[in-house]
Amino acid sequence: MAKQSFYNFDLTHLEECLKQQELKPYVAKQLFNWVYKKHITDFKAMSNIGKVAQETLSNVFIFDNLQIVKVLTDENKETVKFLFKLKDNNFIETVIMKFDYGYSVCVSTQVGCNMGCKFCASGTHKKIRNLETSEIVLQFIEANNWLLKNTNEHLSNIVVMGIGEPLDNFDNVVSALKIITCQHGLEIGSRHITISTCGLCNKIIDFAKALPQINIAISLHASNDAIRNKLMPINKTYPLSQLIETCKQYLEISNRRLTFEYILLDGINDSDENALELVELLKGLLCYVNLIPYNETYLSNFKRSKRVRQFFNVLNKNKLQATIRLERGTKIAAACGQLRIQHNDKEKN
Ligand code: SAH
């Protein structure tokens, strides 16, 4: 049997795998501690694991990594963008962003994306495959190693908002987040993690049951079905009424405040009427709206709205909490799949 990446296994899966190898399940925690806490990836150096077990383990697992193809940083090292090459020669992107509360990493979950959102650079290139659990975990590890080496800092937050629809790669994303939050693993607090989805209703509930403490952000981008249908094909499967119903169910399970992301697009969804409609739509939900200035891409004709502040004021006046997203990485094409697409297009030409 081909060796498997150690990083593909959350603690439960690792225990099962060890049992199959006739090893004791408690070894899983020991291994997690060596790998994720002490950064030791040589079984021979794991002193509390017996010689025979070490031999077995080295026949079952490998410790792989992601190949860094490109690292782009802005002047102040506030945004760092990585282009990684995967073992099948696909490319993914990962971004580190510095905030006043610490460093956050934005990870990808798929190669490409099938959701087809009209404004999104990733949506124009179909999904090639899901990322494996290891490929998600390794984005965190590689980014954290780079940060440690270059700034002596470490990552404190994660946003699952890179390329792909995370809930369309449910099992691997959940396993990766289990490794990342596990007390024997990378031990990032669930409350420091946010996963962003275009709104796969059934999966939102499954996710809340699997990892209730992790924050969810929903890409809303419209105040009514007519607009959302034009921007996001997923709305035809899960229209707003169903999405809002799901949000209510979600809040019953997790009681964590939801974020709604709303990109302001010139002349499309940025009028005062749209703002008032949004207030009506979200009335009574424990939530806030994150207004996102649009990052224009050469792949679509949408223009960024000039009404961001005005839109924000209307929400505010009507007691709907809102923030305006700080912009990062525009100069280094850090937005949403742009680097990977530029790279792929260059390779084709
Ligand atoms: N598929 C997930 C996560 C990836 S996209 C989702 O849909 O939420 C992360 C966020 O960036 C989403 O809110 C997405 O709608 C937004 N986004 C995509 N393209 C953008 C662009 N060009 N400018 C600003 N935000 C964009």
Side-chain angles (χ1 to χ4, degrees):
M1 205 176 71
K3 292 188 192 184
Q4 302 207 54
S5 170
F6 180 85
Y7 306 106
N8 268 334
F9 293 82
D10 63 37
L11 199 60
T12 317
H13 290 150
L14 187 59
E15 283 169 357
E16 282 161 15
C17 179
L18 294 180
K19 270 190 232 162
Q20 282 168 17
Q21 299 298 326
E22 294 174 8
L23 293 171
K24 294 273 182 271
Y26 67 75
V27 174
K29 276 187 194 140
Q30 295 176 325
L31 290 172
F32 257 49
N33 274 305
W34 282 112
V35 175
Y36 294 117
K37 299 279 193 229
K38 300 190 181 126
H39 312 291
I40 301 290
T41 53
D42 175 4
F43 290 116
K44 288 198 193 82
M46 301 182 185
S47 52
N48 57 354
I49 294 175
K51 283 268 173 306
V52 180
Q54 286 178 359
E55 189 63 33
T56 310
L57 290 166
S58 58
N59 289 327
V60 176
F61 299 111
I62 47 154
F63 294 98
D64 49 350
N65 56 9
L66 300 178
Q67 188 188 329
I68 298 182
V69 179
K70 218 184 239 177
V71 184
L72 300 176
T73 53
D74 60 4
E75 300 107 58
N76 319 322
K77 290 211 184 111
E78 290 200 333
T79 312
V80 186
K81 175 134 197 170
F82 302 89
L83 185 69
F84 291 119
K85 190 173 183 170
L86 307 175
K87 46 187 180 286
D88 59 357
N89 295 335
N90 280 307
F91 295 92
I92 52 163
E93 294 172 33
T94 307
V95 187
I96 300 176
M97 292 159 290
K98 185 180 182 186
F99 293 101
D100 45 10
Y101 52 78
Y103 284 90
S104 182
V105 65
C106 176
V107 298
S108 294
T109 54
Q110 297 179 317
V111 181
C113 182
N114 274 348
M115 299 300 123
C117 299
K118 299 286 183 271
F119 46 80
C120 176
S122 301
T124 56
H125 288 50
K126 283 252 169 264
K127 175 173 98 173
I128 295 172
R129 68 171 174 87
N130 283 331
L131 292 189
E132 291 177 18
T133 299
S134 57
E135 292 165 329
I136 301 170
V137 171
L138 282 166
Q139 289 176 68
F140 177 94
I141 293 177
E142 303 283 4
N144 201 38
N145 287 346
W146 187 94
L147 199 58
L148 205 60
K149 208 152 89 193
N150 288 279
T151 66
N152 213 18
E153 303 272 1
H154 58 86
L155 294 170
S156 59
N157 290 63
I158 304 178
V159 288
V160 186
M161 290 191 187
I163 300 166
E165 167 49 48
L167 298 185
D168 184 39
N169 182 13
F170 188 87
D171 291 344
N172 294 347
V173 168
V174 166
S175 272
L177 291 173
K178 283 186 175 167
I179 294 168
I180 287 167
T181 52
C182 178
Q183 67 172 124
H184 307 283
L186 294 162
E187 208 176 2
I188 298 290
S190 293
R191 284 148 198 258
H192 293 181
I193 304 177
T194 302
I195 177 170
S196 176
T197 175
C198 65
L200 303 182
C201 288
N202 51 343
K203 295 286 167 64
I204 290 176
I205 300 301
D206 292 346
F207 187 83
K209 287 180 182 157
L211 293 160
Q213 309 264 35
I214 289 183
N215 302 299
I216 295 192
I218 293 177
S219 296
L220 192 61
H221 308 326
S223 55
N224 62 46
D225 280 320
I227 300 175
R228 202 163 190 265
N229 282 339
K230 281 193 200 133
L231 297 176
M232 303 176 69
I234 192 68
N235 200 63
K236 296 188 182 131
T237 313
Y238 299 115
L240 286 175
S241 55
Q242 200 175 339
L243 184 58
I244 298 299
E245 197 42 53
T246 301
C247 290
K248 289 182 184 155
Q249 280 176 38
Y250 166 80
L251 288 169
E252 273 172 29
I253 298 168
S254 83
N255 205 33
R256 294 197 60 70
R257 185 168 69 149
L258 275 167
T259 305
F260 288 101
E261 296 159 283
Y262 196 105
I263 303 176
L264 285 158
L265 300 166
D266 182 42
I268 307 279
N269 63 359
D270 63 342
S271 68
D272 287 356
E273 290 71 36
N274 294 142
L276 290 169
E277 209 169 28
L278 192 60
V279 171
E280 240 0 86
L281 184 71
L282 303 181
K283 207 167 232 165
L285 284 181
L286 178 63
C287 71
Y288 78 99
V289 177
N290 192 0
L291 296 173
I292 308 177
Y294 183 55
N295 246 312
E296 292 177 11
T297 85
Y298 69 94
L299 295 152
S300 85
N301 294 323
F302 293 109
K303 291 275 166 279
R304 97 174 9 206
S305 168
K306 295 172 195 75
R307 305 189 76 257
V308 178
R309 186 48 62 179
Q310 166 66 16
F311 199 92
F312 172 83
N313 289 342
V314 176
L315 299 187
N316 234 343
K317 228 182 270 163
N318 288 279
K319 313 247 174 325
L320 178 55
Q321 270 200 40
T323 51
I324 298 175
R325 179 176 290 175
L326 200 65
E327 284 191 85
R328 281 290 159 73
T330 323
K331 282 201 198 110
I332 58 169
C336 315
Q338 293 186 53
L339 188 65
R340 167 176 169 260
I341 287 168
Q342 281 170 10
H343 189 81
N344 279 344
D345 287 353
K346 245 184 258 150
E347 292 228 315
K348 273 184 218 134
N349 292 335

